[in-house]
Amino acid sequence: QVHLVESGGGLAQPGGSLRLSCAASGTIFSINDMAWFRQGPGKLRDLVARANSDGTLDYATSVKGRFTVSRDDVENTIYLQMNSLKPEDTAVYYCNAWIRDWTSRTREYWGQGTQVTVSS
């Protein structure tokens, strides 16, 4: 079994910061791309940031310059540092990863989601 467990969500004021973490555990042979998605109320789930296995990073236009994604391949963890938060960043944030697991196949996994609320 493989699990992705997120932490670090909560309430922040506009202009504030939060740091999300997501750790992958279980029978893992390798991890390819890891990413953060978010789903706001009444909206579709959209990509926020991706840390690719080749070291490159991708960001949604709306978070460039404010959010920083990073990963620790020893700890199988992805992080999202969120600065200058805006009310429109309010959403459930989901961790995503493509993992070669105990079946020797590479499959997509999702975390359970963590709520981020930006409000004064």
Side-chain angles (χ1 to χ4, degrees):
Q1 294 284 351
V2 171
H3 299 280
L4 299 180
V5 179
E6 299 123 336
S7 61
L11 176 65
Q13 292 188 337
S17 298
L18 285 173
R19 187 178 191 234
L20 305 182
S21 300
C22 172
S25 63
T27 304
I28 296 171
F29 290 122
S30 62
I31 301 179
N32 293 346
D33 300 345
M34 300 184 80
W36 289 98
F37 286 73
R38 68 185 180 187
Q39 187 167 14
K43 297 182 179 180
L44 298 176
R45 189 175 297 187
D46 292 324
L47 175 69
V48 176
R50 178 182 286 117
N52 300 305
S53 57
D54 63 0
T56 58
L57 306 175
D58 299 310
Y59 293 94
T61 301
S62 59
V63 306
K64 279 183 180 178
R66 300 188 298 121
F67 291 9
T68 302
V69 65
S70 60
R71 60 188 283 175
D72 182 334
D73 289 332
V74 174
E75 299 294 331
N76 290 337
T77 300
I78 184 173
Y79 303 95
L80 185 67
Q81 178 66 44
M82 303 184 293
N83 298 329
S84 302
L85 283 163
K86 303 176 181 180
E88 51 264 44
D89 294 319
T90 296
V92 178
Y93 284 69
Y94 295 92
C95 174
N96 170 276
W98 286 87
I99 297 174
R100 185 165 177 252
D101 59 23
W102 79 97
T103 65
S104 294
R105 293 182 294 170
T106 299
R107 301 194 291 182
E108 185 176 29
Y109 287 88
W110 291 90
Q112 80 284 358
T114 185
Q115 177 69 46
V116 171
T117 302
V118 184
S119 175
S120 55

